[in-house]
Amino acid sequence: MARGKKEKLSLEELLEQALLKVEDQPYQVPSNWVWTKIGKITDIISGGTPSSKVSEYYEKGEIPWISPADLSGYTDMYISHGRKNITELGLQKSSAKLMPKDTVLLSSRAPIGYVAIARNALCTNQGFKSFLPSKAYIPQYLYFYLKSIKHILESYASGTTFLELSGSKAALVEVPLPPLAEQQRIVERIESLFEKLDTAKELIQNALDSFENRKAAILHKAFTGELTAKWREENDMSLDSWEESTFGKFVDTKYGYTESASTEEVGPKFLRITDIQDGSVNWNSVPYCTISDIEFEKYKLKVDDIVVARTGATTGKSYIILEDVNAVFASYLIRINIINKNRILPKYLWRFMQSTLYWNQIMEVKKGIAQPGVNANKLKELLIYIPSIEEQNEILRIVEGMLDKEYRVQELCDVIEKIDLMKKSILARAFRGELETNHPEEESAENLLREILEKR
């Protein structure tokens, strides 16, 4: 006999619908956990925006109102307010809804994946799907889980102009559900591990900042004569022997070659601004380009050539060619070729281009141009202080020795890039029951799910 439209499903039928079949489960979890869908264990609320044309909806408002922009760069787990508040009238006249403390907020567009927990009652704009408190989970557990599945959330989204996660799609997102006591242990373990990683990251960042400060101080002393004061005294020379000149007196410049980069080996390597990272180039990852023999001779990079970024945020960044490479340089680079190596050493010039004396001039040049950049003529006008070749060699000897020790510190700082990956690994293991926190003898989460469904 057909079931009537208004006839409710039994608890067992609701449970059967809520539990994911084994073949539908994304991965295996401990036996006392269950897989369900978020929409089965909580209510999902969308937000709204009062009309900005009505000042009464915002002026002297006391109701916190959150937008995705408020979570951009936000790292705390909890949030109490955003940049704007709305009034009670604004709340009533819009689709925004006041949600209680411990609601989990998820940005559902532009972008998808910002997560925070409401520290107090608040509301959001329409760029959120928020999960009301539930006896099925502790809010911190859901917070960390949502943080770990950004790629899954995006896979449920749709849209042409930009992706958006609808409430109905958010309800379908699968979630592994442990017993409440296990959820608490998982959260505590994640927070403990994250705290240690954050401490390590802070120490490493401090070391990196200290390195950059020491490097700047070393280079400033080098190119103002302080670093070799004792050497000059021993060699009966004075600071008056230094010449204040311009780049243009000693160098030729050339703009780079315009062509499309190719991953196929169709010609020589094609060095671009983006290939220069932290003062070095990984030539194995540099692409190739097609070029005629005649053009190749014009743009071929040779040992001691210096290339400089001439546009954008990286204006002024430089790299010196220290090895014989079969490569040309791209159009957003300027090549500096030293025409008088008896007066200035290429590596001396390049080290100068890492000092504040150089960068302060670059910043002044950029200020006077609408589109940040530096052209060849401006580059040739930059001032540089030049001692004798003998003193240049002594400066380089001291600088290279001091910075070599500093670079060993910087190598340790490479670990900072791995910390976020370690956090992602911890989250992935947490929601598979692999943090060694699970107690198999605890009551199954199926009973918890049953209790929730009975009351919904």
Side-chain angles (χ1 to χ4, degrees):
M1 182 175 178
R3 187 189 298 272
K5 288 184 179 180
K6 295 184 179 180
E7 188 176 344
K8 291 185 177 179
L9 297 175
S10 69
L11 179 58
E12 293 304 316
E13 289 171 322
L14 289 172
L15 184 63
E16 183 180 357
Q17 284 188 354
L19 290 170
L20 267 64
K21 296 178 181 178
V22 173
E23 59 268 26
D24 295 330
Q25 296 175 11
Y27 49 82
Q28 186 176 0
V29 293
S31 59
N32 60 337
W33 295 27
V34 296
W35 274 101
T36 187
K37 296 181 179 181
I38 293 181
K40 297 296 183 180
I41 56 176
T42 188
D43 292 322
I44 301 172
I45 306 297
S46 296
T49 301
S51 173
S52 58
K53 296 178 181 180
V54 183
S55 59
E56 290 82 2
Y57 294 167
Y58 293 93
E59 287 182 3
K60 298 181 180 180
E62 296 183 352
I63 301 173
W65 182 76
I66 311 294
S67 72
D70 293 316
L71 294 185
S72 176
Y74 193 81
T75 56
D76 289 352
M77 179 183 293
Y78 290 89
I79 190 167
S80 58
H81 60 84
R83 295 177 179 84
K84 293 182 180 180
N85 289 343
I86 62 173
T87 62
E88 184 65 38
L89 182 62
L91 181 64
Q92 294 173 5
K93 296 294 185 179
S94 71
S95 57
K97 299 175 182 64
L98 189 63
M99 296 173 292
K101 172 186 176 182
D102 287 338
T103 297
V104 179
L105 317 177
L106 170 71
S107 66
S108 54
R109 68 180 189 186
I112 295 170
Y114 289 157
V115 191
I117 302 174
R119 191 184 297 277
N120 42 256
L122 50 71
C123 54
T124 73
N125 75 356
Q126 61 273 26
F128 283 89
K129 296 298 173 284
S130 300
F131 306 95
L132 294 184
S134 168
K135 291 184 178 180
Y137 57 81
I138 60 175
Q140 300 94 329
Y141 177 83
L142 184 60
Y143 166 88
F144 280 123
Y145 179 66
L146 292 173
K147 294 273 283 188
S148 74
I149 61 164
K150 176 179 169 64
H151 62 293
I152 294 175
L153 297 171
E154 289 175 338
S155 72
Y156 274 93
S158 59
T160 52
T161 304
F162 52 78
L163 290 177
E164 180 168 11
L165 180 66
S166 67
S168 59
K169 290 292 187 180
L172 299 177
V173 174
E174 302 92 344
V175 56
L177 191 67
L180 286 172
E182 169 63 359
Q183 292 182 34
Q184 185 63 48
R185 289 191 294 269
I186 288 172
V187 167
E188 290 173 356
R189 179 62 62 85
I190 291 172
E191 290 180 334
S192 174
L193 293 171
F194 276 22
E195 183 179 2
K196 292 175 182 177
L197 288 174
D198 287 339
T199 299
K201 185 175 183 178
E202 183 178 359
L203 291 172
I204 293 170
Q205 187 61 56
N206 288 341
L208 181 59
D209 293 342
S210 178
F211 162 75
E212 291 298 334
N213 291 335
R214 290 196 299 271
K215 177 183 175 182
I218 290 168
L219 292 175
H220 184 78
K221 290 179 179 180
F223 298 107
T224 55
E226 184 177 348
L227 202 62
T228 45
K230 185 177 179 180
W231 181 90
R232 285 195 303 276
E233 183 179 342
E234 292 173 348
N235 288 273
D236 195 27
M237 298 178 70
S238 73
L239 196 58
D240 292 338
S241 63
W242 285 48
E243 175 188 356
E244 179 181 316
S245 189
T246 61
F247 280 38
K249 186 175 179 180
F250 304 99
V251 306
D252 279 335
T253 57
K254 186 172 183 59
Y255 293 109
Y257 180 60
T258 301
E259 183 55 84
S260 298
S262 173
T263 55
E264 296 182 17
E265 195 170 345
V266 293
K269 291 284 187 175
F270 192 45
L271 184 65
R272 305 159 302 167
I273 291 176
T274 52
D275 297 315
I276 303 171
Q277 299 293 331
D278 300 322
S280 63
V281 170
N282 178 4
W283 287 103
N284 291 329
S285 64
V286 176
Y288 302 87
C289 72
T290 57
I291 189 170
S292 69
D293 291 342
I294 294 176
E295 295 291 279
F296 175 72
E297 290 303 318
K298 294 179 183 177
Y299 297 99
K300 176 177 169 53
L301 289 170
K302 300 176 182 178
V303 173
D304 289 338
D305 281 349
I306 299 171
V307 288
V308 188
R310 66 181 179 90
T311 188
T314 58
T315 296
K317 182 171 72 171
S318 63
Y319 175 71
I320 186 169
I321 306 299
L322 295 174
E323 56 187 308
D324 190 15
V325 290
N326 183 36
V328 295
F329 59 107
S331 57
Y332 288 114
L333 290 169
I334 298 174
R335 180 181 63 195
I336 294 176
N337 173 251
I338 295 177
I339 56 177
N340 188 355
K341 294 182 182 179
N342 293 324
R343 187 65 187 92
I344 185 170
L345 299 174
K347 204 162 188 180
Y348 178 87
L349 177 59
W350 179 63
R351 282 299 186 192
F352 175 82
M353 293 171 72
Q354 297 169 55
S355 72
T356 53
L357 297 172
Y358 166 80
W359 280 108
N360 289 342
Q361 295 182 78
I362 290 293
M363 296 307 294
E364 286 299 315
V365 170
K366 289 171 67 174
K367 281 182 183 178
I369 303 175
Q371 175 66 32
V374 60
N375 59 39
N377 289 332
K378 290 291 183 182
L379 199 60
K380 288 182 177 180
E381 293 173 2
L382 298 182
L383 295 175
I384 183 172
Y385 304 92
I386 306 173
S388 66
I389 287 292
E390 292 77 15
E391 190 167 353
Q392 289 180 43
N393 275 313
E394 180 64 12
I395 287 170
L396 289 174
R397 184 188 70 79
I398 298 173
V399 166
E400 297 299 326
M402 296 177 76
L403 291 183
D404 182 58
K405 295 176 182 177
E406 297 295 330
Y407 280 129
R408 292 173 190 171
V409 175
Q410 192 178 34
E411 286 174 6
L412 296 178
C413 296
D414 291 341
V415 177
I416 204 168
E417 299 177 3
K418 300 177 182 178
I419 286 180
D420 288 339
L421 293 176
M422 293 172 70
K423 285 187 173 183
K424 289 180 180 179
S425 175
I426 288 168
L427 290 178
R429 291 168 54 210
F431 301 108
R432 285 171 167 78
E434 296 176 357
L435 292 184
E436 299 181 356
T437 56
N438 192 54
H439 295 182
E441 72 280 2
E442 282 181 342
E443 185 177 54
S444 173
E446 183 174 319
N447 294 326
L448 173 62
L449 183 57
R450 185 189 299 271
E451 180 182 342
I452 298 301
L453 292 172
E454 190 173 20
K455 295 179 180 180
R456 279 176 67 80

